[in-house]
Amino acid sequence: MAAKNAEQALVNQWRDILALHARTQCELDRALHGHGLCASDFEVLDLLAEGRAADGGCAYRVQEISERVHLSQSALSRLIARLEKDGLVDRAMCAEDRRGVRVALTPKGRALHGEVLPVQRAVLIRMLAG
């Protein structure tokens, strides 16, 4: 009986985590929508704004982004293409590996990131603090 209760508590904890994630994701999407972004868009911009790619540069390989952002490779490719179309990022071939692609923020992308950063952080504080 105790093992069954412990198992159910673990399942309940897992479901609570999923529910919190879903609520937070929805709140982020709602808050960022007015800026033309969704939560996933912001995550990519935020990562690029950190400017700490594996080689120390400010442009990330798509593979590096995919390791940090929880999207499929195809979804990430579409997202990056949309951000590029909107003038927020630039894509270029990797000089060291012509099969790879590097992504970097444009000045417009950096400005938008700075504008929406406080919005995103406020949602995280509201949803996750305490």
Side-chain angles (χ1 to χ4, degrees), residues 15-54:
R15 289 178 180 156
D16 288 345
I17 290 169
L18 291 175
L20 178 60
H21 176 268
R23 285 191 311 271
T24 304
Q25 190 80 8
C26 286
E27 283 298 312
L28 287 168
D29 284 339
R30 224 181 329 271
L32 298 172
H33 179 76
H35 299 275
L37 299 173
C38 68
S40 296
D41 297 339
F42 181 83
E43 284 302 315
V44 170
L45 295 180
D46 201 37
L47 176 63
L48 295 173
E50 289 176 0
R52 289 184 227 115

PDB file of all heavy atoms in Angstrom, residues 15-54:
ATOM      1  N   ARG A  15       2.398  15.156 -13.142  1.00  0.00           N
ATOM      2  CA  ARG A  15       1.274  15.839 -13.784  1.00  0.00           C
ATOM      3  C   ARG A  15       1.201  17.304 -13.387  1.00  0.00           C
ATOM      4  O   ARG A  15       0.829  18.158 -14.202  1.00  0.00           O
ATOM      5  CB  ARG A  15      -0.027  15.111 -13.462  1.00  0.00           C
ATOM      6  CG  ARG A  15      -0.108  13.775 -14.179  1.00  0.00           C
ATOM      7  CD  ARG A  15      -1.341  13.001 -13.852  1.00  0.00           C
ATOM      8  NE  ARG A  15      -1.329  11.732 -14.576  1.00  0.00           N
ATOM      9  CZ  ARG A  15      -1.992  10.665 -14.197  1.00  0.00           C
ATOM     10  NH1 ARG A  15      -2.755  10.703 -13.094  1.00  0.00           N
ATOM     11  NH2 ARG A  15      -1.926   9.554 -14.890  1.00  0.00           N
ATOM     12  N   ASP A  16       1.567  17.620 -12.154  1.00  0.00           N
ATOM     13  CA  ASP A  16       1.621  19.016 -11.716  1.00  0.00           C
ATOM     14  C   ASP A  16       2.689  19.789 -12.501  1.00  0.00           C
ATOM     15  O   ASP A  16       2.473  20.943 -12.881  1.00  0.00           O
ATOM     16  CB  ASP A  16       1.910  19.110 -10.215  1.00  0.00           C
ATOM     17  CG  ASP A  16       0.739  18.678  -9.353  1.00  0.00           C
ATOM     18  OD1 ASP A  16      -0.392  18.564  -9.876  1.00  0.00           O
ATOM     19  OD2 ASP A  16       0.977  18.435  -8.140  1.00  0.00           O
ATOM     20  N   ILE A  17       3.831  19.154 -12.738  1.00  0.00           N
ATOM     21  CA  ILE A  17       4.904  19.788 -13.516  1.00  0.00           C
ATOM     22  C   ILE A  17       4.422  20.064 -14.936  1.00  0.00           C
ATOM     23  O   ILE A  17       4.623  21.161 -15.473  1.00  0.00           O
ATOM     24  CB  ILE A  17       6.176  18.905 -13.523  1.00  0.00           C
ATOM     25  CG1 ILE A  17       6.813  18.900 -12.139  1.00  0.00           C
ATOM     26  CG2 ILE A  17       7.175  19.387 -14.578  1.00  0.00           C
ATOM     27  CD1 ILE A  17       7.910  17.858 -11.968  1.00  0.00           C
ATOM     28  N   LEU A  18       3.787  19.071 -15.546  1.00  0.00           N
ATOM     29  CA  LEU A  18       3.267  19.257 -16.905  1.00  0.00           C
ATOM     30  C   LEU A  18       2.238  20.372 -16.966  1.00  0.00           C
ATOM     31  O   LEU A  18       2.246  21.185 -17.902  1.00  0.00           O
ATOM     32  CB  LEU A  18       2.653  17.950 -17.414  1.00  0.00           C
ATOM     33  CG  LEU A  18       3.623  16.811 -17.704  1.00  0.00           C
ATOM     34  CD1 LEU A  18       2.850  15.542 -18.084  1.00  0.00           C
ATOM     35  CD2 LEU A  18       4.611  17.190 -18.782  1.00  0.00           C
ATOM     36  N   ALA A  19       1.356  20.422 -15.976  1.00  0.00           N
ATOM     37  CA  ALA A  19       0.322  21.462 -15.952  1.00  0.00           C
ATOM     38  C   ALA A  19       0.951  22.845 -15.787  1.00  0.00           C
ATOM     39  O   ALA A  19       0.535  23.804 -16.454  1.00  0.00           O
ATOM     40  CB  ALA A  19      -0.681  21.185 -14.840  1.00  0.00           C
ATOM     41  N   LEU A  20       1.935  22.961 -14.905  1.00  0.00           N
ATOM     42  CA  LEU A  20       2.617  24.240 -14.714  1.00  0.00           C
ATOM     43  C   LEU A  20       3.323  24.671 -15.999  1.00  0.00           C
ATOM     44  O   LEU A  20       3.254  25.834 -16.395  1.00  0.00           O
ATOM     45  CB  LEU A  20       3.617  24.152 -13.555  1.00  0.00           C
ATOM     46  CG  LEU A  20       4.439  25.401 -13.284  1.00  0.00           C
ATOM     47  CD1 LEU A  20       3.538  26.590 -12.949  1.00  0.00           C
ATOM     48  CD2 LEU A  20       5.447  25.137 -12.169  1.00  0.00           C
ATOM     49  N   HIS A  21       3.975  23.738 -16.663  1.00  0.00           N
ATOM     50  CA  HIS A  21       4.638  24.048 -17.927  1.00  0.00           C
ATOM     51  C   HIS A  21       3.622  24.549 -18.952  1.00  0.00           C
ATOM     52  O   HIS A  21       3.842  25.562 -19.619  1.00  0.00           O
ATOM     53  CB  HIS A  21       5.371  22.818 -18.461  1.00  0.00           C
ATOM     54  CG  HIS A  21       5.982  23.050 -19.805  1.00  0.00           C
ATOM     55  ND1 HIS A  21       5.321  22.769 -20.976  1.00  0.00           N
ATOM     56  CD2 HIS A  21       7.186  23.568 -20.162  1.00  0.00           C
ATOM     57  CE1 HIS A  21       6.090  23.100 -21.994  1.00  0.00           C
ATOM     58  NE2 HIS A  21       7.225  23.581 -21.530  1.00  0.00           N
ATOM     59  N   ALA A  22       2.507  23.840 -19.082  1.00  0.00           N
ATOM     60  CA  ALA A  22       1.485  24.229 -20.066  1.00  0.00           C
ATOM     61  C   ALA A  22       0.915  25.611 -19.757  1.00  0.00           C
ATOM     62  O   ALA A  22       0.760  26.446 -20.665  1.00  0.00           O
ATOM     63  CB  ALA A  22       0.372  23.185 -20.104  1.00  0.00           C
ATOM     64  N   ARG A  23       0.604  25.876 -18.488  1.00  0.00           N
ATOM     65  CA  ARG A  23       0.065  27.192 -18.113  1.00  0.00           C
ATOM     66  C   ARG A  23       1.085  28.292 -18.380  1.00  0.00           C
ATOM     67  O   ARG A  23       0.741  29.363 -18.895  1.00  0.00           O
ATOM     68  CB  ARG A  23      -0.341  27.204 -16.635  1.00  0.00           C
ATOM     69  CG  ARG A  23      -1.619  26.469 -16.321  1.00  0.00           C
ATOM     70  CD  ARG A  23      -2.122  26.744 -14.907  1.00  0.00           C
ATOM     71  NE  ARG A  23      -1.116  26.604 -13.858  1.00  0.00           N
ATOM     72  CZ  ARG A  23      -0.841  25.449 -13.217  1.00  0.00           C
ATOM     73  NH1 ARG A  23      -1.491  24.343 -13.521  1.00  0.00           N
ATOM     74  NH2 ARG A  23       0.078  25.429 -12.273  1.00  0.00           N
ATOM     75  N   THR A  24       2.345  28.037 -18.045  1.00  0.00           N
ATOM     76  CA  THR A  24       3.394  29.039 -18.243  1.00  0.00           C
ATOM     77  C   THR A  24       3.618  29.292 -19.724  1.00  0.00           C
ATOM     78  O   THR A  24       3.738  30.450 -20.153  1.00  0.00           O
ATOM     79  CB  THR A  24       4.698  28.594 -17.555  1.00  0.00           C
ATOM     80  OG1 THR A  24       4.437  28.352 -16.174  1.00  0.00           O
ATOM     81  CG2 THR A  24       5.786  29.645 -17.683  1.00  0.00           C
ATOM     82  N   GLN A  25       3.647  28.233 -20.523  1.00  0.00           N
ATOM     83  CA  GLN A  25       3.816  28.376 -21.970  1.00  0.00           C
ATOM     84  C   GLN A  25       2.683  29.210 -22.562  1.00  0.00           C
ATOM     85  O   GLN A  25       2.924  30.105 -23.378  1.00  0.00           O
ATOM     86  CB  GLN A  25       3.855  26.984 -22.615  1.00  0.00           C
ATOM     87  CG  GLN A  25       4.265  26.976 -24.051  1.00  0.00           C
ATOM     88  CD  GLN A  25       5.764  27.070 -24.239  1.00  0.00           C
ATOM     89  OE1 GLN A  25       6.545  27.006 -23.286  1.00  0.00           O
ATOM     90  NE2 GLN A  25       6.187  27.236 -25.455  1.00  0.00           N
ATOM     91  N   CYS A  26       1.458  28.957 -22.147  1.00  0.00           N
ATOM     92  CA  CYS A  26       0.308  29.731 -22.643  1.00  0.00           C
ATOM     93  C   CYS A  26       0.423  31.197 -22.242  1.00  0.00           C
ATOM     94  O   CYS A  26       0.151  32.094 -23.056  1.00  0.00           O
ATOM     95  CB  CYS A  26      -0.997  29.145 -22.119  1.00  0.00           C
ATOM     96  SG  CYS A  26      -1.451  27.601 -22.920  1.00  0.00           S
ATOM     97  N   GLU A  27       0.811  31.458 -21.009  1.00  0.00           N
ATOM     98  CA  GLU A  27       0.983  32.844 -20.543  1.00  0.00           C
ATOM     99  C   GLU A  27       2.084  33.551 -21.323  1.00  0.00           C
ATOM    100  O   GLU A  27       1.946  34.725 -21.681  1.00  0.00           O
ATOM    101  CB  GLU A  27       1.289  32.880 -19.042  1.00  0.00           C
ATOM    102  CG  GLU A  27       0.090  32.651 -18.170  1.00  0.00           C
ATOM    103  CD  GLU A  27      -0.985  33.723 -18.360  1.00  0.00           C
ATOM    104  OE1 GLU A  27      -0.653  34.926 -18.346  1.00  0.00           O
ATOM    105  OE2 GLU A  27      -2.150  33.342 -18.530  1.00  0.00           O
ATOM    106  N   LEU A  28       3.182  32.853 -21.570  1.00  0.00           N
ATOM    107  CA  LEU A  28       4.259  33.446 -22.360  1.00  0.00           C
ATOM    108  C   LEU A  28       3.785  33.761 -23.776  1.00  0.00           C
ATOM    109  O   LEU A  28       4.038  34.855 -24.286  1.00  0.00           O
ATOM    110  CB  LEU A  28       5.475  32.510 -22.406  1.00  0.00           C
ATOM    111  CG  LEU A  28       6.285  32.406 -21.129  1.00  0.00           C
ATOM    112  CD1 LEU A  28       7.256  31.241 -21.217  1.00  0.00           C
ATOM    113  CD2 LEU A  28       7.020  33.708 -20.835  1.00  0.00           C
ATOM    114  N   ASP A  29       3.098  32.814 -24.394  1.00  0.00           N
ATOM    115  CA  ASP A  29       2.586  33.059 -25.745  1.00  0.00           C
ATOM    116  C   ASP A  29       1.654  34.263 -25.769  1.00  0.00           C
ATOM    117  O   ASP A  29       1.744  35.111 -26.656  1.00  0.00           O
ATOM    118  CB  ASP A  29       1.861  31.817 -26.275  1.00  0.00           C
ATOM    119  CG  ASP A  29       2.808  30.721 -26.721  1.00  0.00           C
ATOM    120  OD1 ASP A  29       3.992  31.011 -27.009  1.00  0.00           O
ATOM    121  OD2 ASP A  29       2.359  29.557 -26.786  1.00  0.00           O
ATOM    122  N   ARG A  30       0.784  34.357 -24.770  1.00  0.00           N
ATOM    123  CA  ARG A  30      -0.164  35.477 -24.697  1.00  0.00           C
ATOM    124  C   ARG A  30       0.579  36.806 -24.521  1.00  0.00           C
ATOM    125  O   ARG A  30       0.277  37.789 -25.198  1.00  0.00           O
ATOM    126  CB  ARG A  30      -1.112  35.256 -23.517  1.00  0.00           C
ATOM    127  CG  ARG A  30      -2.543  35.538 -23.830  1.00  0.00           C
ATOM    128  CD  ARG A  30      -3.510  35.354 -22.666  1.00  0.00           C
ATOM    129  NE  ARG A  30      -3.217  34.351 -21.665  1.00  0.00           N
ATOM    130  CZ  ARG A  30      -3.611  33.073 -21.718  1.00  0.00           C
ATOM    131  NH1 ARG A  30      -4.306  32.639 -22.737  1.00  0.00           N
ATOM    132  NH2 ARG A  30      -3.322  32.240 -20.749  1.00  0.00           N
ATOM    133  N   ALA A  31       1.557  36.834 -23.635  1.00  0.00           N
ATOM    134  CA  ALA A  31       2.286  38.078 -23.348  1.00  0.00           C
ATOM    135  C   ALA A  31       3.158  38.522 -24.516  1.00  0.00           C
ATOM    136  O   ALA A  31       3.323  39.718 -24.754  1.00  0.00           O
ATOM    137  CB  ALA A  31       3.138  37.901 -22.091  1.00  0.00           C
ATOM    138  N   LEU A  32       3.713  37.564 -25.251  1.00  0.00           N
ATOM    139  CA  LEU A  32       4.634  37.895 -26.333  1.00  0.00           C
ATOM    140  C   LEU A  32       3.923  38.131 -27.668  1.00  0.00           C
ATOM    141  O   LEU A  32       4.507  38.704 -28.592  1.00  0.00           O
ATOM    142  CB  LEU A  32       5.676  36.781 -26.488  1.00  0.00           C
ATOM    143  CG  LEU A  32       6.579  36.557 -25.273  1.00  0.00           C
ATOM    144  CD1 LEU A  32       7.437  35.313 -25.472  1.00  0.00           C
ATOM    145  CD2 LEU A  32       7.437  37.777 -24.992  1.00  0.00           C
ATOM    146  N   HIS A  33       2.682  37.696 -27.770  1.00  0.00           N
ATOM    147  CA  HIS A  33       1.931  37.805 -29.024  1.00  0.00           C
ATOM    148  C   HIS A  33       1.881  39.238 -29.549  1.00  0.00           C
ATOM    149  O   HIS A  33       2.034  39.476 -30.757  1.00  0.00           O
ATOM    150  CB  HIS A  33       0.513  37.254 -28.846  1.00  0.00           C
ATOM    151  CG  HIS A  33      -0.319  37.344 -30.068  1.00  0.00           C
ATOM    152  ND1 HIS A  33      -0.166  36.488 -31.143  1.00  0.00           N
ATOM    153  CD2 HIS A  33      -1.301  38.211 -30.416  1.00  0.00           C
ATOM    154  CE1 HIS A  33      -1.016  36.823 -32.083  1.00  0.00           C
ATOM    155  NE2 HIS A  33      -1.729  37.864 -31.667  1.00  0.00           N
ATOM    156  N   GLY A  34       1.692  40.185 -28.677  1.00  0.00           N
ATOM    157  CA  GLY A  34       1.623  41.586 -29.082  1.00  0.00           C
ATOM    158  C   GLY A  34       2.918  42.114 -29.670  1.00  0.00           C
ATOM    159  O   GLY A  34       2.941  43.149 -30.333  1.00  0.00           O
ATOM    160  N   HIS A  35       4.003  41.373 -29.450  1.00  0.00           N
ATOM    161  CA  HIS A  35       5.306  41.762 -29.992  1.00  0.00           C
ATOM    162  C   HIS A  35       5.653  40.929 -31.231  1.00  0.00           C
ATOM    163  O   HIS A  35       6.769  40.982 -31.726  1.00  0.00           O
ATOM    164  CB  HIS A  35       6.390  41.572 -28.935  1.00  0.00           C
ATOM    165  CG  HIS A  35       6.170  42.412 -27.724  1.00  0.00           C
ATOM    166  ND1 HIS A  35       6.581  43.725 -27.631  1.00  0.00           N
ATOM    167  CD2 HIS A  35       5.553  42.139 -26.549  1.00  0.00           C
ATOM    168  CE1 HIS A  35       6.238  44.217 -26.451  1.00  0.00           C
ATOM    169  NE2 HIS A  35       5.612  43.271 -25.778  1.00  0.00           N
ATOM    170  N   GLY A  36       4.679  40.125 -31.677  1.00  0.00           N
ATOM    171  CA  GLY A  36       4.898  39.310 -32.867  1.00  0.00           C
ATOM    172  C   GLY A  36       5.700  38.044 -32.625  1.00  0.00           C
ATOM    173  O   GLY A  36       6.246  37.465 -33.565  1.00  0.00           O
ATOM    174  N   LEU A  37       5.779  37.628 -31.376  1.00  0.00           N
ATOM    175  CA  LEU A  37       6.571  36.444 -31.025  1.00  0.00           C
ATOM    176  C   LEU A  37       5.729  35.428 -30.283  1.00  0.00           C
ATOM    177  O   LEU A  37       4.699  35.766 -29.701  1.00  0.00           O
ATOM    178  CB  LEU A  37       7.743  36.832 -30.109  1.00  0.00           C
ATOM    179  CG  LEU A  37       8.773  37.806 -30.654  1.00  0.00           C
ATOM    180  CD1 LEU A  37       9.749  38.201 -29.550  1.00  0.00           C
ATOM    181  CD2 LEU A  37       9.515  37.208 -31.838  1.00  0.00           C
ATOM    182  N   CYS A  38       6.204  34.190 -30.279  1.00  0.00           N
ATOM    183  CA  CYS A  38       5.668  33.177 -29.382  1.00  0.00           C
ATOM    184  C   CYS A  38       6.807  32.783 -28.436  1.00  0.00           C
ATOM    185  O   CYS A  38       7.942  33.261 -28.580  1.00  0.00           O
ATOM    186  CB  CYS A  38       5.146  31.967 -30.161  1.00  0.00           C
ATOM    187  SG  CYS A  38       6.419  31.006 -30.981  1.00  0.00           S
ATOM    188  N   ALA A  39       6.503  31.946 -27.480  1.00  0.00           N
ATOM    189  CA  ALA A  39       7.497  31.564 -26.469  1.00  0.00           C
ATOM    190  C   ALA A  39       8.729  30.923 -27.108  1.00  0.00           C
ATOM    191  O   ALA A  39       9.859  31.211 -26.710  1.00  0.00           O
ATOM    192  CB  ALA A  39       6.870  30.639 -25.433  1.00  0.00           C
ATOM    193  N   SER A  40       8.527  30.073 -28.101  1.00  0.00           N
ATOM    194  CA  SER A  40       9.665  29.413 -28.760  1.00  0.00           C
ATOM    195  C   SER A  40      10.532  30.410 -29.512  1.00  0.00           C
ATOM    196  O   SER A  40      11.763  30.311 -29.508  1.00  0.00           O
ATOM    197  CB  SER A  40       9.180  28.326 -29.705  1.00  0.00           C
ATOM    198  OG  SER A  40       8.532  27.304 -28.998  1.00  0.00           O
ATOM    199  N   ASP A  41       9.899  31.386 -30.170  1.00  0.00           N
ATOM    200  CA  ASP A  41      10.659  32.444 -30.844  1.00  0.00           C
ATOM    201  C   ASP A  41      11.563  33.150 -29.837  1.00  0.00           C
ATOM    202  O   ASP A  41      12.751  33.366 -30.096  1.00  0.00           O
ATOM    203  CB  ASP A  41       9.734  33.498 -31.456  1.00  0.00           C
ATOM    204  CG  ASP A  41       8.829  32.974 -32.547  1.00  0.00           C
ATOM    205  OD1 ASP A  41       9.116  31.922 -33.139  1.00  0.00           O
ATOM    206  OD2 ASP A  41       7.817  33.657 -32.812  1.00  0.00           O
ATOM    207  N   PHE A  42      10.965  33.507 -28.694  1.00  0.00           N
ATOM    208  CA  PHE A  42      11.738  34.229 -27.698  1.00  0.00           C
ATOM    209  C   PHE A  42      12.891  33.381 -27.177  1.00  0.00           C
ATOM    210  O   PHE A  42      13.989  33.898 -26.954  1.00  0.00           O
ATOM    211  CB  PHE A  42      10.872  34.697 -26.523  1.00  0.00           C
ATOM    212  CG  PHE A  42      11.690  35.450 -25.521  1.00  0.00           C
ATOM    213  CD1 PHE A  42      11.965  36.788 -25.700  1.00  0.00           C
ATOM    214  CD2 PHE A  42      12.248  34.805 -24.422  1.00  0.00           C
ATOM    215  CE1 PHE A  42      12.779  37.487 -24.811  1.00  0.00           C
ATOM    216  CE2 PHE A  42      13.049  35.482 -23.528  1.00  0.00           C
ATOM    217  CZ  PHE A  42      13.317  36.826 -23.724  1.00  0.00           C
ATOM    218  N   GLU A  43      12.671  32.087 -26.973  1.00  0.00           N
ATOM    219  CA  GLU A  43      13.742  31.221 -26.468  1.00  0.00           C
ATOM    220  C   GLU A  43      14.947  31.241 -27.396  1.00  0.00           C
ATOM    221  O   GLU A  43      16.085  31.292 -26.941  1.00  0.00           O
ATOM    222  CB  GLU A  43      13.241  29.786 -26.267  1.00  0.00           C
ATOM    223  CG  GLU A  43      12.390  29.604 -25.038  1.00  0.00           C
ATOM    224  CD  GLU A  43      13.094  30.003 -23.752  1.00  0.00           C
ATOM    225  OE1 GLU A  43      14.280  29.632 -23.548  1.00  0.00           O
ATOM    226  OE2 GLU A  43      12.472  30.703 -22.943  1.00  0.00           O
ATOM    227  N   VAL A  44      14.700  31.218 -28.705  1.00  0.00           N
ATOM    228  CA  VAL A  44      15.804  31.266 -29.656  1.00  0.00           C
ATOM    229  C   VAL A  44      16.486  32.631 -29.604  1.00  0.00           C
ATOM    230  O   VAL A  44      17.716  32.721 -29.547  1.00  0.00           O
ATOM    231  CB  VAL A  44      15.331  30.912 -31.083  1.00  0.00           C
ATOM    232  CG1 VAL A  44      16.411  31.198 -32.119  1.00  0.00           C
ATOM    233  CG2 VAL A  44      14.895  29.447 -31.135  1.00  0.00           C
ATOM    234  N   LEU A  45      15.706  33.698 -29.595  1.00  0.00           N
ATOM    235  CA  LEU A  45      16.299  35.042 -29.500  1.00  0.00           C
ATOM    236  C   LEU A  45      17.099  35.193 -28.213  1.00  0.00           C
ATOM    237  O   LEU A  45      18.195  35.771 -28.219  1.00  0.00           O
ATOM    238  CB  LEU A  45      15.215  36.118 -29.572  1.00  0.00           C
ATOM    239  CG  LEU A  45      14.431  36.248 -30.866  1.00  0.00           C
ATOM    240  CD1 LEU A  45      13.394  37.362 -30.748  1.00  0.00           C
ATOM    241  CD2 LEU A  45      15.342  36.471 -32.053  1.00  0.00           C
ATOM    242  N   ASP A  46      16.561  34.684 -27.116  1.00  0.00           N
ATOM    243  CA  ASP A  46      17.233  34.789 -25.821  1.00  0.00           C
ATOM    244  C   ASP A  46      18.550  34.038 -25.830  1.00  0.00           C
ATOM    245  O   ASP A  46      19.570  34.540 -25.336  1.00  0.00           O
ATOM    246  CB  ASP A  46      16.303  34.268 -24.720  1.00  0.00           C
ATOM    247  CG  ASP A  46      16.665  34.773 -23.342  1.00  0.00           C
ATOM    248  OD1 ASP A  46      17.086  35.947 -23.202  1.00  0.00           O
ATOM    249  OD2 ASP A  46      16.520  33.990 -22.384  1.00  0.00           O
ATOM    250  N   LEU A  47      18.559  32.857 -26.400  1.00  0.00           N
ATOM    251  CA  LEU A  47      19.798  32.084 -26.511  1.00  0.00           C
ATOM    252  C   LEU A  47      20.825  32.829 -27.349  1.00  0.00           C
ATOM    253  O   LEU A  47      21.992  32.960 -26.964  1.00  0.00           O
ATOM    254  CB  LEU A  47      19.496  30.713 -27.127  1.00  0.00           C
ATOM    255  CG  LEU A  47      20.692  29.822 -27.407  1.00  0.00           C
ATOM    256  CD1 LEU A  47      21.407  29.457 -26.112  1.00  0.00           C
ATOM    257  CD2 LEU A  47      20.261  28.576 -28.143  1.00  0.00           C
ATOM    258  N   LEU A  48      20.399  33.360 -28.492  1.00  0.00           N
ATOM    259  CA  LEU A  48      21.317  34.094 -29.353  1.00  0.00           C
ATOM    260  C   LEU A  48      21.827  35.366 -28.674  1.00  0.00           C
ATOM    261  O   LEU A  48      22.983  35.759 -28.868  1.00  0.00           O
ATOM    262  CB  LEU A  48      20.640  34.439 -30.680  1.00  0.00           C
ATOM    263  CG  LEU A  48      20.268  33.249 -31.569  1.00  0.00           C
ATOM    264  CD1 LEU A  48      19.454  33.718 -32.765  1.00  0.00           C
ATOM    265  CD2 LEU A  48      21.499  32.483 -32.006  1.00  0.00           C
ATOM    266  N   ALA A  49      20.984  35.995 -27.864  1.00  0.00           N
ATOM    267  CA  ALA A  49      21.386  37.223 -27.176  1.00  0.00           C
ATOM    268  C   ALA A  49      22.446  36.948 -26.115  1.00  0.00           C
ATOM    269  O   ALA A  49      23.243  37.835 -25.794  1.00  0.00           O
ATOM    270  CB  ALA A  49      20.173  37.899 -26.546  1.00  0.00           C
ATOM    271  N   GLU A  50      22.461  35.736 -25.572  1.00  0.00           N
ATOM    272  CA  GLU A  50      23.482  35.385 -24.580  1.00  0.00           C
ATOM    273  C   GLU A  50      24.870  35.473 -25.185  1.00  0.00           C
ATOM    274  O   GLU A  50      25.834  35.784 -24.489  1.00  0.00           O
ATOM    275  CB  GLU A  50      23.253  33.967 -24.045  1.00  0.00           C
ATOM    276  CG  GLU A  50      22.057  33.834 -23.152  1.00  0.00           C
ATOM    277  CD  GLU A  50      21.816  32.386 -22.727  1.00  0.00           C
ATOM    278  OE1 GLU A  50      22.596  31.488 -23.132  1.00  0.00           O
ATOM    279  OE2 GLU A  50      20.865  32.161 -21.982  1.00  0.00           O
ATOM    280  N   GLY A  51      24.982  35.165 -26.487  1.00  0.00           N
ATOM    281  CA  GLY A  51      26.262  35.308 -27.182  1.00  0.00           C
ATOM    282  C   GLY A  51      27.360  34.410 -26.676  1.00  0.00           C
ATOM    283  O   GLY A  51      28.515  34.787 -26.705  1.00  0.00           O
ATOM    284  N   ARG A  52      27.017  33.202 -26.231  1.00  0.00           N
ATOM    285  CA  ARG A  52      28.038  32.284 -25.737  1.00  0.00           C
ATOM    286  C   ARG A  52      27.968  30.953 -26.471  1.00  0.00           C
ATOM    287  O   ARG A  52      27.696  29.917 -25.890  1.00  0.00           O
ATOM    288  CB  ARG A  52      27.861  32.054 -24.234  1.00  0.00           C
ATOM    289  CG  ARG A  52      28.235  33.267 -23.429  1.00  0.00           C
ATOM    290  CD  ARG A  52      28.142  32.981 -21.947  1.00  0.00           C
ATOM    291  NE  ARG A  52      27.417  34.090 -21.348  1.00  0.00           N
ATOM    292  CZ  ARG A  52      26.235  34.003 -20.781  1.00  0.00           C
ATOM    293  NH1 ARG A  52      25.619  32.874 -20.678  1.00  0.00           N
ATOM    294  NH2 ARG A  52      25.644  35.064 -20.283  1.00  0.00           N
ATOM    295  N   ALA A  53      28.212  30.991 -27.771  1.00  0.00           N
ATOM    296  CA  ALA A  53      28.241  29.751 -28.549  1.00  0.00           C
ATOM    297  C   ALA A  53      29.440  28.919 -28.100  1.00  0.00           C
ATOM    298  O   ALA A  53      30.334  29.410 -27.408  1.00  0.00           O
ATOM    299  CB  ALA A  53      28.329  30.077 -30.035  1.00  0.00           C
ATOM    300  N   ALA A  54      29.468  27.674 -28.491  1.00  0.00           N
ATOM    301  CA  ALA A  54      30.531  26.756 -28.060  1.00  0.00           C
ATOM    302  C   ALA A  54      31.920  27.289 -28.393  1.00  0.00           C
ATOM    303  O   ALA A  54      32.864  27.085 -27.638  1.00  0.00           O
ATOM    304  CB  ALA A  54      30.324  25.385 -28.690  1.00  0.00           C
TER     305      ALA A  54
END
